[in-house]
Amino acid sequence: MSRYEFIAPCHFGLEAVLKREIQDLGYEIVEVEDGRVTFAGDEDAFARGNIFLRTTERLLLKIARFKAETFEELFEKTKAIPWENYIPKDGKFWVAKATSIKSKLFSPSDIQSIMKKAIVERLKGVYKINWFEESGNSYPIRITFMKDEITIGIDTSGESLHRRGYRKLASKAPITETLAAALIMLTPWNKDRILVDPFCGSGTIPIEAAMIGANIAPGMNRSFSSEEWTSIIPKKIWYSAIEEANDLILNDIEMDIQGYDMDGDIIKAARENAKLAGVDHLIHFQQRAVSNLSHNKKYGFIITNPPYGERLEEKEALPELYKEIGRTFNALDSWSYYIITSYEEAQKYIGREANKNRKIYNGMLKTYYLQYLGPKPPKKPQKFNK
């Protein structure tokens, strides 16, 4: 089998979570950098990476990495890449996205144009044609310049992997599915423990938790651009990965996952989203304010994304809201609670400093993942067979 390298981008601050996911799939880590993990795998990594990874935004097939300080150098080195190994004669190819940080070549549109010309020149020579109809399958190219070094990848995913296919309805400031999964995976929560999200919005955190608990692969109900790359990946590899994902689902599982929100229409949307994800039977959604949150069970988890106050009128209400969060959560004295927020004074008004505070970039927005750790539940007495 051939060996390929893949680039898996993620939110800044979540590289360790993604690295662990990739290792759990059995692939070799090549490099961990800010906002991305590079790993090696064979043909089945195209399918298994896209279908199983919960915390990456997309999966790029790594094509090349080199230094370029002039457009002439960029053109010649791009042209030297054996693009014919990836793009067939009728392939549709373009530089979908170019980013440049601290590099001499900084204009994305110019970089995109030069690279497209270089790829065309290469393929004209190989395929002995002067015009490409580009009527076949898509091969979107993404590149990143960092300190004059370019990394080139072809996007195997198509739509971003946070689009699982279940979220048809969203609240005003939804958290992405990939970020929600990562927040859960940063905690010790497991399917046997209670989980409550008192600001559940369209239900993303409870739904992702239910999918994790039931071992439902996040990419099972969507398609990927590389499914059609039959010159590189045989169709049977995709069928095999889907079969593997189906076999791993825990169909008879029971969990205690609850989602609350003050907005009744949003709760209806959350129920619909959970139904589309196939986990509506595992989650209890209810219209309820955070001040009314209570629970008679111990050692539960709260994982939540309360309002950040991005608009001025919302910002004025934040001190009282976070005081209410502090009063309510502190009453659940045996629970652990995890809060993601961009509100810098959150800990002050909650009235307690977090045990851990992890910085995570939600796009360009700097957020804080405040982790308040409760006591561990007592170990269950072991049963010995006579």
Side-chain angles (χ1 to χ4, degrees):
M1 274 196 163
S2 301
R3 183 184 186 273
Y4 298 93
E5 285 193 7
F6 299 88
I7 302 165
C10 64
H11 289 276
F12 283 87
L14 298 177
E15 297 83 2
V17 183
L18 177 55
K19 177 186 174 184
R20 189 168 69 241
E21 268 203 285
I22 293 166
Q23 288 174 322
D24 287 346
L25 280 180
Y27 299 119
E28 172 198 346
I29 301 296
V30 174
E31 189 175 20
V32 179
E33 302 167 275
D34 287 345
R36 67 185 184 190
V37 179
T38 303
F39 68 96
D42 50 24
E43 284 96 338
D44 70 6
F46 284 90
R48 295 181 74 237
N50 274 301
I51 290 168
F52 285 102
L53 291 176
R54 299 182 189 277
T55 62
T56 187
E57 299 304 305
R58 61 184 67 249
L59 199 62
L60 306 178
L61 173 61
K62 184 178 175 182
I63 302 300
R65 192 170 189 171
F66 55 78
K67 195 165 187 177
E69 297 183 356
T70 66
F71 283 120
E72 183 181 359
E73 190 177 10
L74 175 63
F75 181 91
E76 292 300 332
K77 288 184 176 179
T78 301
K79 186 182 173 185
I81 295 168
W83 290 101
E84 63 276 9
N85 292 348
Y86 312 103
I87 302 172
K89 189 185 290 189
D90 66 345
K92 182 182 178 182
F93 58 95
W94 71 104
V95 182
K97 187 172 183 181
T99 57
S100 180
I101 302 167
K102 298 178 181 177
S103 299
K104 293 179 180 66
L105 302 181
F106 57 83
S107 167
S109 59
D110 288 339
I111 292 167
Q112 288 167 301
S113 176
I114 292 289
M115 290 187 68
K116 172 76 175 188
K117 288 176 184 174
I119 299 167
V120 168
E121 284 302 307
R122 170 77 187 201
L123 295 181
K124 277 167 65 175
V126 173
Y127 293 133
K128 310 299 181 188
I129 54 175
N130 290 319
W131 177 257
F132 292 88
E133 290 188 7
E134 300 194 45
S135 56
N137 298 315
S138 295
Y139 297 81
I141 298 158
R142 288 179 169 250
I143 71 103
T144 304
F145 257 111
M146 174 64 78
K147 296 179 180 177
D148 298 321
E149 187 172 65
I150 184 173
T151 303
I152 304 173
I154 304 179
D155 182 6
T156 75
S157 303
E159 272 200 302
S160 171
L161 292 180
H162 82 266
R163 297 185 182 277
R164 316 286 206 217
Y166 67 74
R167 196 165 73 178
K168 304 300 182 186
L169 301 162
S171 53
K172 284 181 185 176
I175 193 169
T176 66
E177 294 87 330
T178 45
L179 180 53
L183 297 180
I184 296 160
M185 292 163 73
L186 279 168
T187 79
W189 177 81
N190 63 63
K191 64 183 184 300
D192 300 320
R193 305 281 292 274
I194 308 157
L195 189 150
V196 176
D197 180 0
F199 297 96
C200 74
S202 48
T204 310
I205 289 175
I207 292 169
E208 288 295 318
M211 290 177 71
I212 290 169
N215 216 15
I216 298 171
M220 283 189 67
N221 297 313
R222 54 159 288 171
S223 58
F224 310 95
S225 57
S226 54
E227 284 182 66
E228 305 304 322
W229 299 357
T230 49
S231 60
I232 304 174
I233 323 144
K235 277 282 189 183
K236 65 181 181 180
I237 283 177
W238 292 96
Y239 300 143
S240 176
I242 287 291
E243 187 178 347
E244 179 188 359
N246 274 311
D247 288 345
L248 291 171
I249 295 173
L250 305 173
N251 290 305
D252 56 351
I253 194 171
E254 292 182 6
M255 286 185 278
D256 191 348
I257 299 174
Q258 300 165 27
Y260 303 120
D261 200 280
M262 287 182 67
D263 189 328
D265 289 335
I266 285 295
I267 286 294
K268 288 178 186 175
R271 289 193 185 110
E272 186 61 29
N273 290 340
K275 189 175 181 180
L276 288 168
V279 294
D280 52 314
H281 61 295
L282 298 173
I283 308 169
H284 171 70
F285 288 110
Q286 187 178 338
Q287 184 179 358
R288 183 189 286 190
V290 67
S291 57
N292 296 326
L293 175 63
S294 62
H295 210 292
N296 56 6
K297 290 184 180 177
K298 291 190 168 188
Y299 310 112
F301 283 78
I302 290 170
I303 304 175
T304 195
N305 173 42
Y308 296 176
E310 292 305 296
R311 292 196 293 270
L312 184 63
E313 64 271 22
E314 292 175 345
K315 192 159 281 187
E316 292 171 354
L318 287 185
E320 188 53 44
L321 174 64
Y322 279 81
K323 283 180 186 176
E324 192 64 65
I325 289 172
R327 287 192 292 268
T328 303
F329 290 5
N330 286 333
L332 297 164
D333 57 358
S334 68
W335 284 47
S336 298
Y337 44 101
Y338 299 79
I339 305 166
I340 185 168
T341 181
S342 66
Y343 185 41
E344 297 201 352
E345 295 191 275
Q347 293 178 87
K348 172 185 170 182
Y349 290 107
I350 287 171
R352 179 181 158 195
E353 192 172 323
N355 299 98
K356 293 182 180 179
N357 182 0
R358 190 184 192 109
K359 285 182 188 174
I360 298 170
Y361 279 84
N362 187 1
M364 297 303 292
L365 183 66
K366 182 168 71 172
T367 63
Y368 306 93
Y369 194 33
L370 307 177
Q371 302 171 57
Y372 295 87
L373 310 179
K376 292 180 181 178
K379 288 185 178 180
K380 293 179 181 178
Q382 290 184 327
K383 293 181 180 179
F384 296 98
N385 294 324
K386 290 184 180 179

